Amino acid sequence: MRNIKVLGSGCAKCQATVALIDDVAAQMDVEIKVHKVENPEEIMAYGVMSTPAVIVANKLVHKGSVPSRELVESWLKVFNL
């Protein structure tokens, strides 16, 4: 199982990002675990100033908005190789 982190305060956009990632993973039959990170100090440790932000394989891959479905699919395809 792969881990993905969604960094943010728990706002509507952060919740939508988590839901989108879960939905795309289920459709692609990819096992993931989404961790919601709401602690401001932990978010700042990634150098993130705008949320939601997404961490995949310990790398910041997106920040500042809800990602597109196509973008999430591209992250998960890496897990399916």
Side-chain angles (χ1 to χ4, degrees), residues 47-69:
V48 171
M49 298 299 289
S50 57
T51 60
V54 181
I55 307 295
V56 176
N58 290 319
K59 293 182 184 171
L60 177 65
V61 295
H62 186 81
K63 65 180 177 180
S65 64
V66 177
S68 68
R69 178 171 290 276

mmCIF file of all heavy atoms in Angstrom, residues 47-69:
data_model
loop_
_atom_site.group_PDB
_atom_site.id
_atom_site.type_symbol
_atom_site.label_atom_id
_atom_site.label_comp_id
_atom_site.label_asym_id
_atom_site.label_seq_id
_atom_site.Cartn_x
_atom_site.Cartn_y
_atom_site.Cartn_z
ATOM 1 N N GLY A 47 7.542 23.309 3.379
ATOM 2 C CA GLY A 47 7.713 24.564 2.664
ATOM 3 C C GLY A 47 6.460 25.010 1.935
ATOM 4 O O GLY A 47 6.531 25.787 0.986
ATOM 5 N N VAL A 48 5.318 24.535 2.387
ATOM 6 C CA VAL A 48 4.048 24.829 1.732
ATOM 7 C C VAL A 48 3.416 26.058 2.371
ATOM 8 O O VAL A 48 3.264 26.124 3.584
ATOM 9 C CB VAL A 48 3.092 23.623 1.840
ATOM 10 C CG1 VAL A 48 1.704 23.978 1.368
ATOM 11 C CG2 VAL A 48 3.639 22.453 1.043
ATOM 12 N N MET A 49 3.050 27.011 1.522
ATOM 13 C CA MET A 49 2.375 28.214 2.000
ATOM 14 C C MET A 49 0.928 28.280 1.522
ATOM 15 O O MET A 49 0.132 29.042 2.047
ATOM 16 C CB MET A 49 3.121 29.462 1.526
ATOM 17 C CG MET A 49 4.539 29.559 2.057
ATOM 18 S SD MET A 49 4.634 29.635 3.849
ATOM 19 C CE MET A 49 4.008 31.269 4.146
ATOM 20 N N SER A 50 0.581 27.504 0.491
ATOM 21 C CA SER A 50 -0.799 27.493 0.003
ATOM 22 C C SER A 50 -1.286 26.052 -0.074
ATOM 23 O O SER A 50 -0.569 25.167 -0.525
ATOM 24 C CB SER A 50 -0.911 28.179 -1.359
ATOM 25 O OG SER A 50 -0.069 27.570 -2.304
ATOM 26 N N THR A 51 -2.486 25.850 0.424
ATOM 27 C CA THR A 51 -3.047 24.506 0.482
ATOM 28 C C THR A 51 -4.337 24.465 -0.326
ATOM 29 O O THR A 51 -4.898 25.514 -0.633
ATOM 30 C CB THR A 51 -3.336 24.111 1.949
ATOM 31 O OG1 THR A 51 -4.263 25.033 2.504
ATOM 32 C CG2 THR A 51 -2.067 24.057 2.771
ATOM 33 N N PRO A 52 -4.810 23.296 -0.660
ATOM 34 C CA PRO A 52 -4.265 21.988 -0.324
ATOM 35 C C PRO A 52 -2.980 21.706 -1.091
ATOM 36 O O PRO A 52 -2.757 22.226 -2.176
ATOM 37 C CB PRO A 52 -5.363 21.016 -0.737
ATOM 38 C CG PRO A 52 -6.149 21.735 -1.786
ATOM 39 C CD PRO A 52 -6.047 23.196 -1.452
ATOM 40 N N ALA A 53 -2.146 20.873 -0.466
ATOM 41 C CA ALA A 53 -0.924 20.419 -1.106
ATOM 42 C C ALA A 53 -0.911 18.897 -1.028
ATOM 43 O O ALA A 53 -1.491 18.311 -0.116
ATOM 44 C CB ALA A 53 0.298 21.005 -0.413
ATOM 45 N N VAL A 54 -0.257 18.275 -2.000
ATOM 46 C CA VAL A 54 -0.229 16.817 -2.063
ATOM 47 C C VAL A 54 1.221 16.352 -2.094
ATOM 48 O O VAL A 54 2.026 16.850 -2.882
ATOM 49 C CB VAL A 54 -0.981 16.289 -3.306
ATOM 50 C CG1 VAL A 54 -0.966 14.769 -3.338
ATOM 51 C CG2 VAL A 54 -2.415 16.811 -3.336
ATOM 52 N N ILE A 55 1.517 15.371 -1.243
ATOM 53 C CA ILE A 55 2.839 14.761 -1.165
ATOM 54 C C ILE A 55 2.703 13.319 -1.626
ATOM 55 O O ILE A 55 1.935 12.542 -1.056
ATOM 56 C CB ILE A 55 3.388 14.786 0.285
ATOM 57 C CG1 ILE A 55 3.355 16.194 0.881
ATOM 58 C CG2 ILE A 55 4.778 14.164 0.343
ATOM 59 C CD1 ILE A 55 4.247 17.199 0.232
ATOM 60 N N VAL A 56 3.455 12.957 -2.665
ATOM 61 C CA VAL A 56 3.475 11.587 -3.177
ATOM 62 C C VAL A 56 4.929 11.130 -3.158
ATOM 63 O O VAL A 56 5.803 11.829 -3.675
ATOM 64 C CB VAL A 56 2.907 11.506 -4.613
ATOM 65 C CG1 VAL A 56 3.026 10.094 -5.165
ATOM 66 C CG2 VAL A 56 1.459 11.976 -4.645
ATOM 67 N N ALA A 57 5.177 9.970 -2.555
ATOM 68 C CA ALA A 57 6.547 9.438 -2.454
ATOM 69 C C ALA A 57 7.489 10.479 -1.845
ATOM 70 O O ALA A 57 8.602 10.690 -2.322
ATOM 71 C CB ALA A 57 7.038 8.966 -3.817
ATOM 72 N N ASN A 58 6.997 11.136 -0.799
ATOM 73 C CA ASN A 58 7.755 12.150 -0.061
ATOM 74 C C ASN A 58 8.176 13.350 -0.903
ATOM 75 O O ASN A 58 9.124 14.043 -0.562
ATOM 76 C CB ASN A 58 8.965 11.528 0.634
ATOM 77 C CG ASN A 58 8.547 10.643 1.777
ATOM 78 O OD1 ASN A 58 7.640 10.975 2.529
ATOM 79 N ND2 ASN A 58 9.204 9.504 1.904
ATOM 80 N N LYS A 59 7.471 13.590 -2.011
ATOM 81 C CA LYS A 59 7.757 14.743 -2.859
ATOM 82 C C LYS A 59 6.494 15.582 -3.022
ATOM 83 O O LYS A 59 5.417 15.049 -3.241
ATOM 84 C CB LYS A 59 8.245 14.301 -4.238
ATOM 85 C CG LYS A 59 9.577 13.624 -4.197
ATOM 86 C CD LYS A 59 10.042 13.242 -5.570
ATOM 87 C CE LYS A 59 11.352 12.479 -5.426
ATOM 88 N NZ LYS A 59 11.787 11.894 -6.660
ATOM 89 N N LEU A 60 6.662 16.884 -2.936
ATOM 90 C CA LEU A 60 5.554 17.803 -3.169
ATOM 91 C C LEU A 60 5.226 17.777 -4.658
ATOM 92 O O LEU A 60 6.068 18.093 -5.489
ATOM 93 C CB LEU A 60 5.950 19.214 -2.733
ATOM 94 C CG LEU A 60 4.929 20.311 -2.965
ATOM 95 C CD1 LEU A 60 3.680 20.075 -2.115
ATOM 96 C CD2 LEU A 60 5.535 21.668 -2.668
ATOM 97 N N VAL A 61 3.997 17.356 -4.988
ATOM 98 C CA VAL A 61 3.613 17.243 -6.395
ATOM 99 C C VAL A 61 2.535 18.246 -6.797
ATOM 100 O O VAL A 61 2.294 18.434 -7.986
ATOM 101 C CB VAL A 61 3.152 15.807 -6.753
ATOM 102 C CG1 VAL A 61 4.299 14.823 -6.622
ATOM 103 C CG2 VAL A 61 1.965 15.382 -5.911
ATOM 104 N N HIS A 62 1.908 18.888 -5.809
ATOM 105 C CA HIS A 62 0.835 19.825 -6.135
ATOM 106 C C HIS A 62 0.565 20.717 -4.926
ATOM 107 O O HIS A 62 0.658 20.267 -3.789
ATOM 108 C CB HIS A 62 -0.443 19.061 -6.494
ATOM 109 C CG HIS A 62 -1.543 19.948 -6.985
ATOM 110 N ND1 HIS A 62 -1.595 20.399 -8.279
ATOM 111 C CD2 HIS A 62 -2.610 20.477 -6.343
ATOM 112 C CE1 HIS A 62 -2.667 21.166 -8.418
ATOM 113 N NE2 HIS A 62 -3.296 21.227 -7.265
ATOM 114 N N LYS A 63 0.202 21.980 -5.198
ATOM 115 C CA LYS A 63 -0.186 22.869 -4.093
ATOM 116 C C LYS A 63 -1.064 23.990 -4.603
ATOM 117 O O LYS A 63 -1.022 24.359 -5.773
ATOM 118 C CB LYS A 63 1.034 23.447 -3.383
ATOM 119 C CG LYS A 63 1.877 24.356 -4.235
ATOM 120 C CD LYS A 63 3.057 24.871 -3.452
ATOM 121 C CE LYS A 63 3.933 25.726 -4.372
ATOM 122 N NZ LYS A 63 5.074 26.251 -3.675
ATOM 123 N N GLY A 64 -1.915 24.482 -3.716
ATOM 124 C CA GLY A 64 -2.685 25.678 -3.971
ATOM 125 C C GLY A 64 -4.074 25.510 -4.549
ATOM 126 O O GLY A 64 -4.817 26.474 -4.627
ATOM 127 N N SER A 65 -4.444 24.307 -4.961
ATOM 128 C CA SER A 65 -5.776 24.099 -5.534
ATOM 129 C C SER A 65 -6.108 22.613 -5.509
ATOM 130 O O SER A 65 -5.248 21.776 -5.247
ATOM 131 C CB SER A 65 -5.826 24.598 -6.983
ATOM 132 O OG SER A 65 -4.955 23.837 -7.794
ATOM 133 N N VAL A 66 -7.356 22.316 -5.818
ATOM 134 C CA VAL A 66 -7.760 20.915 -5.973
ATOM 135 C C VAL A 66 -7.173 20.437 -7.302
ATOM 136 O O VAL A 66 -7.381 21.080 -8.335
ATOM 137 C CB VAL A 66 -9.299 20.775 -5.976
ATOM 138 C CG1 VAL A 66 -9.704 19.330 -6.201
ATOM 139 C CG2 VAL A 66 -9.892 21.306 -4.677
ATOM 140 N N PRO A 67 -6.424 19.338 -7.293
ATOM 141 C CA PRO A 67 -5.828 18.865 -8.545
ATOM 142 C C PRO A 67 -6.888 18.327 -9.501
ATOM 143 O O PRO A 67 -7.982 17.951 -9.089
ATOM 144 C CB PRO A 67 -4.876 17.750 -8.093
ATOM 145 C CG PRO A 67 -5.455 17.273 -6.802
ATOM 146 C CD PRO A 67 -6.098 18.474 -6.168
ATOM 147 N N SER A 68 -6.532 18.264 -10.764
ATOM 148 C CA SER A 68 -7.447 17.683 -11.745
ATOM 149 C C SER A 68 -7.444 16.166 -11.618
ATOM 150 O O SER A 68 -6.488 15.559 -11.113
ATOM 151 C CB SER A 68 -7.012 18.067 -13.163
ATOM 152 O OG SER A 68 -5.786 17.428 -13.486
ATOM 153 N N ARG A 69 -8.511 15.555 -12.080
ATOM 154 C CA ARG A 69 -8.614 14.092 -12.082
ATOM 155 C C ARG A 69 -7.449 13.485 -12.879
ATOM 156 O O ARG A 69 -6.861 12.501 -12.468
ATOM 157 C CB ARG A 69 -9.958 13.668 -12.671
ATOM 158 C CG ARG A 69 -10.159 12.166 -12.758
ATOM 159 C CD ARG A 69 -11.579 11.828 -13.145
ATOM 160 N NE ARG A 69 -12.511 12.143 -12.069
ATOM 161 C CZ ARG A 69 -12.776 11.328 -11.053
ATOM 162 N NH1 ARG A 69 -12.198 10.165 -10.963
ATOM 163 N NH2 ARG A 69 -13.639 11.686 -10.122
#
